[in-house]
Amino acid sequence: MILRFILFIAFCYFIYLGIRYFFHPKRKLEAAVESGAFYFYDDEKNVRHNFLMTYKGCLFEGEKYLGTTKNAFDVVSIFIWPHKTEKLKGFTYDDFTFMEAQIKSVYPNAKLDWKKPIQDFLASKNKRWDDLLDSSK
C-alpha cells in the first residue's frame, strides 16, 4: 500500500515537471529561435537581469540600466548585441526598427544602443538618410 502511494506521488511529480517544462518561457524562446519568430523574454521587475530577444533565428541580449526620469526611477539605457553575428545575414534596417519598437513598447524611456557591427550599420543608414534630406533642399 505504501509503495503504491509513493509511486502515485512520483507519477504526479513527473507530470508536474513535464507541465512546468512545457510552459517555461525559456523553452518558448528556444522554439522561437528555431522557428525564426519574434519572442521577447524579460523579467521587467528585475532590472539586474538582462532580457533576451529573438528574431529571424538570431538571439539578442539586452543589458538594462536604471536611472531617473521626470517622475521616477526607470530603465533609461539599454545596450543590445547579438549572440552570434553570423546569424545577422539577411537583416535589414526595417528589422532593427521593428525590434526597437518592440523594446520601446516595454521600456518607453530607454535610450537604445546597439553594439558593433549593428551600430555601424544603423549609423550608415541614418547618415545616408540625412544626406538624402540635405540634397533635397
Side-chain angles (χ1 to χ4, degrees):
M1 188 69 175
I2 294 175
L3 183 61
R4 285 185 184 175
F5 181 71
I6 291 173
L7 286 175
F8 177 74
I9 296 295
F11 179 74
C12 291
Y13 180 70
F14 285 121
I15 288 177
Y16 165 75
L17 287 178
I19 291 172
R20 196 169 126 203
Y21 170 77
F22 184 72
F23 288 108
H24 195 275
K26 285 269 192 175
R27 192 198 64 78
K28 291 180 182 179
L29 179 72
E30 292 169 1
V33 169
E34 291 175 12
S35 69
F38 176 81
Y39 187 75
F40 188 79
Y41 173 68
D42 184 26
D43 183 8
E44 292 178 37
K45 295 178 183 174
N46 192 344
V47 178
R48 292 179 181 246
H49 287 143
N50 295 349
F51 66 79
L52 296 171
M53 173 178 59
T54 182
Y55 187 57
K56 290 188 173 182
C58 185
L59 184 64
F60 297 90
E61 187 168 351
E63 189 172 3
K64 305 176 281 189
Y65 292 96
L66 188 67
T68 58
T69 61
K70 291 180 181 180
N71 300 328
F73 284 96
D74 201 2
V75 174
V76 294
S77 180
I78 298 175
F79 288 99
I80 309 162
W81 64 92
H83 276 231
K84 295 181 181 177
T85 55
E86 62 270 10
K87 296 269 188 169
L88 292 173
K89 185 175 190 275
F91 272 75
T92 63
Y93 182 78
D94 293 335
D95 295 329
F96 293 108
T97 55
F98 169 76
M99 288 188 287
E100 285 181 355
Q102 297 299 317
I103 296 168
K104 282 286 196 179
S105 69
V106 179
Y107 299 108
N109 298 321
K111 177 182 176 272
L112 303 179
D113 291 315
W114 296 88
K115 291 193 177 176
K116 293 189 181 228
I118 300 168
Q119 178 185 27
D120 297 335
F121 173 70
L122 294 177
S124 69
K125 275 294 202 186
N126 288 335
K127 184 177 183 326
R128 281 190 228 149
W129 181 252
D130 291 341
D131 291 343
L132 284 174
L133 289 176
D134 289 339
S135 65
S136 67
K137 289 182 181 179

